[in-house]
Amino acid sequence: MVKITFLGAGSTVFARNVLGDCMCTPALGEAEIALYDIDALRLEESSLIIQALNENINKGRARIFTFLGEENRKAALKNANFVVNAIQIGGYDPCTITDFEIPKKYGLRQTIADTLGIGGIMRALRTIPVMDAFARDIESECPDALLLNYSNPMAMLTGYMQRYTAVRTVGLCHSVQVCSETLLKELDMEDKLEGRVETIAGINHMGWLLALKDKDGNDLYPEIRKRAAQKNLKETHTDMVRFEYIRRFGFYCTESSEHNAEYNAFFLKAKYPELVERYAIPLDEYPRRCIKQIQEWQEEKATILDNGKITHERSLEYASHIMEAVTKNEVYKIGGNVLNSGLIDNLPTDACVEVPCLVDGNGISPCKVGRLPVVLAAMNQTNINVQLLTIEAAVTKKKEDIYRAAMLDPHTASELSIDDIVKLCDELIEAHGDYMKMYK
């Protein structure tokens, strides 16, 4: 029997989607599912929803158990075949609020703050110690398990696990699956969707759509470049940053414009506030989403618990497809976050890169990509610098290494002086209290 352990099961909506996918998969329908969290209320809510889902779409075939608190984590992990990680240390309140509000005092504005920038750095530094504790328990209780990491900052967390633990780890993101589809729909090229062939590689949230051909092998990029330039000139829309990437660098990238607006030094500049409006950049977007999601979840939960009616159709989310491919020893292709062991020649070997991977009974087999165009590798490198320095800080536990990570962050460094970067880091570390008490 397959055992799936879900760490951070209090992330109810995501747990429902991933585990709902598993219940829609015949090879996983009779799995043992261990739900783990440190929040009793959220764990209870998730359990109720997953149980209802199991009865409604899976005829009650899955065996579902809950495990509350660190003292029960080893039991949750024991003999697991697959471990899904979806934790968010500190949650929206207080940690996300802190990561947005304190930088504002220094004139540093953010959109999402979960992957790079000062917010991404802080999020990684309070999460990696927890991930390390997970790793020690996985190594002892289910050493052959495959860890599917969905938590951000993806490259920092996954990169740490791959370099400093023995856990078989792959990082998974939603943006790869929808990248070319989103682009073609935005440019009114839906007729090119069927049978298209694409190549995507780079790093998480800045993977590059290196090639896109239609079913007959025709290169779609010349038309894409023309239409993207025209659209940015003629109208204001939500993907203007990525279309500017196409104009300036020649290629589209995987994650949204609101994310990529804060991954560089180009768009969020106090000296040029008009850029925010020009490129339709939604400042403070992630806090707005959190508030909205909390409100919507309360309404949805009340409806579900009132009538017990909940259903699900299998999605394109990678998790269940990976589990199925491994369990049945069938080949499935994904875009995965893995250690750069010679996969992208002009990026560092200790970087966590996002490349095509094949999945089968042996697990994850990354595919070699070769060299990226120089400008794309250079863009990736500005983010990799921060990722590697943040991981270094998590290992050394030294504040000076945190300062260095922030100093090399493109957005932070373009806005603040070195002295203010240090002050900002110190204030954030203090504000996060016990979540970052290990950094001296």
Side-chain angles (χ1 to χ4, degrees):
M1 177 184 293
V2 174
K3 180 176 178 180
I4 304 166
T5 298
F6 200 110
L7 302 174
S11 302
T12 306
V13 174
F14 186 63
R16 179 188 67 185
N17 291 339
V18 168
L19 297 175
D21 283 354
C22 293
M23 292 174 189
C24 292
T25 307
L28 306 172
E30 296 182 356
E32 178 181 334
I33 297 173
L35 304 175
Y36 168 82
D37 209 284
I38 59 172
D39 186 311
L41 177 59
R42 296 187 66 172
L43 182 60
E44 180 184 8
E45 291 176 348
S46 289
S47 178
L48 289 170
I49 302 305
I50 301 303
Q51 292 282 6
L53 200 60
N54 188 35
E55 293 299 325
N56 290 349
I57 70 169
N58 195 37
K59 299 180 180 179
R61 294 185 303 149
R63 299 171 63 224
I64 301 167
F65 303 90
T66 59
F67 298 85
L68 176 65
E70 295 178 11
E71 65 274 17
N72 292 307
R73 190 170 62 222
K74 285 188 175 182
L77 288 165
K78 190 170 183 62
N79 298 325
N81 303 101
F82 304 100
V83 180
V84 180
N85 179 58
I87 62 172
Q88 183 182 351
I89 301 302
Y92 167 66
D93 187 3
C95 286
T96 294
I97 295 173
T98 299
D99 284 341
F100 274 84
E101 294 305 314
I102 290 179
K104 281 183 190 178
K105 293 165 51 179
Y106 292 78
L108 195 63
R109 301 298 301 273
Q110 300 171 96
T111 55
I112 306 294
D114 73 347
T115 295
L116 207 73
I118 195 67
I121 291 169
M122 293 297 149
R123 188 165 174 148
L125 291 172
R126 60 180 182 265
T127 306
I128 287 175
V130 178
M131 294 285 287
D132 185 75
F134 287 176
R136 305 313 156 201
D137 288 348
I138 292 170
E139 289 165 356
S140 69
E141 303 303 320
C142 52
D144 296 324
L146 179 61
L147 174 64
L148 311 180
N149 178 51
Y150 276 98
S151 290
N152 284 323
M154 175 62 65
M156 298 184 198
L157 304 186
T158 304
Y160 175 85
M161 296 295 283
Q162 291 162 344
R163 290 173 57 199
Y164 290 99
T165 80
V167 178
R168 299 168 66 212
T169 306
V170 63
L172 304 174
C173 183
H174 319 280
S175 60
V176 178
Q177 296 100 309
V178 300
C179 176
S180 63
E181 179 182 1
T182 298
L183 175 61
L184 292 175
K185 287 182 176 179
E186 287 179 335
L187 296 177
D188 297 322
M189 296 174 66
E190 291 96 335
D191 60 315
K192 305 299 183 182
L193 286 170
E194 186 175 353
R196 70 192 186 280
V197 178
E198 64 187 35
T199 301
I200 295 176
I203 61 173
N204 179 244
H205 284 190
M206 199 187 277
W208 301 102
L209 182 60
L210 298 172
L212 183 60
K213 297 180 179 181
D214 66 17
K215 62 183 179 181
D216 298 317
N218 299 307
D219 184 4
L220 296 178
Y221 252 124
E223 184 66 17
I224 287 170
R225 292 184 180 112
K226 182 177 72 174
R227 293 195 186 199
Q230 290 173 344
K231 186 167 183 175
N232 261 16
L233 281 174
K234 293 179 178 179
E235 62 181 274
T236 299
H237 59 95
T238 60
D239 209 9
M240 299 189 76
V241 168
R242 285 197 290 180
F243 281 18
E244 189 72 2
Y245 276 8
I246 296 175
R247 178 188 177 200
R248 302 296 183 178
F249 307 135
F251 297 88
Y252 191 66
C253 80
T254 50
E255 188 49 86
S256 63
S257 282
E258 61 264 26
H259 272 276
N260 271 272
E262 62 183 8
Y263 297 165
N264 53 65
F266 309 138
F267 301 103
L268 298 179
K269 304 178 79 67
K271 187 177 179 181
Y272 302 100
E274 68 274 11
L275 293 176
V276 170
E277 182 176 356
R278 175 180 167 186
Y279 289 99
I281 298 170
L283 295 172
D284 298 329
E285 173 65 12
Y286 188 63
R288 277 196 299 274
R289 289 182 188 178
C290 290
I291 294 169
K292 185 172 182 287
Q293 288 170 351
I294 291 168
Q295 292 172 342
E296 288 178 348
W297 168 240
Q298 292 303 319
E299 296 169 3
E300 184 179 1
K301 179 183 69 173
T303 301
I304 293 170
L305 296 181
D306 180 53
N307 57 31
K309 293 181 180 179
I310 181 173
T311 188
H312 184 82
E313 293 184 4
R314 193 179 186 187
S315 72
L316 294 176
E317 196 70 68
Y318 282 143
S320 70
H321 296 276
I322 291 172
M323 296 180 203
E324 180 182 35
V326 172
T327 300
K328 297 175 68 176
N329 192 24
E330 295 180 349
V331 177
Y332 184 74
K333 183 180 177 181
I334 67 168
N337 288 272
V338 295
L339 200 62
N340 186 31
S341 52
L343 304 171
I344 299 180
D345 293 335
N346 50 346
L347 292 181
T349 56
D350 51 0
C352 179
V353 294
E354 195 166 67
V355 296
C357 301
L358 299 179
V359 186
D360 61 12
N362 293 316
I364 310 294
S365 298
C367 301
K368 184 175 178 62
V369 173
R371 290 180 62 84
L372 297 179
V374 173
V375 68
L376 304 187
M379 281 289 288
N380 284 164
Q381 186 64 56
T382 65
N383 285 220
I384 290 170
N385 292 335
V386 184
Q387 294 161 2
L388 297 183
L389 287 165
T390 302
I391 292 172
E392 181 81 2
V395 172
T396 66
K397 305 292 192 297
K398 294 180 179 179
K399 283 186 179 181
E400 56 259 43
D401 288 326
I402 299 176
Y403 305 152
R404 290 166 183 161
M407 289 173 191
L408 269 292
D409 176 67
H411 177 211
T412 305
S414 71
E415 291 286 271
L416 304 184
S417 70
I418 290 178
D419 288 341
D420 279 346
I421 290 172
V422 171
K423 290 177 184 177
L424 171 59
C425 289
D426 283 341
E427 189 170 346
L428 282 165
I429 292 167
E430 182 178 0
H432 282 305
D434 286 347
Y435 290 112
M436 296 187 66
K437 63 184 179 183
M438 65 289 295
Y439 299 103
K440 307 295 184 183

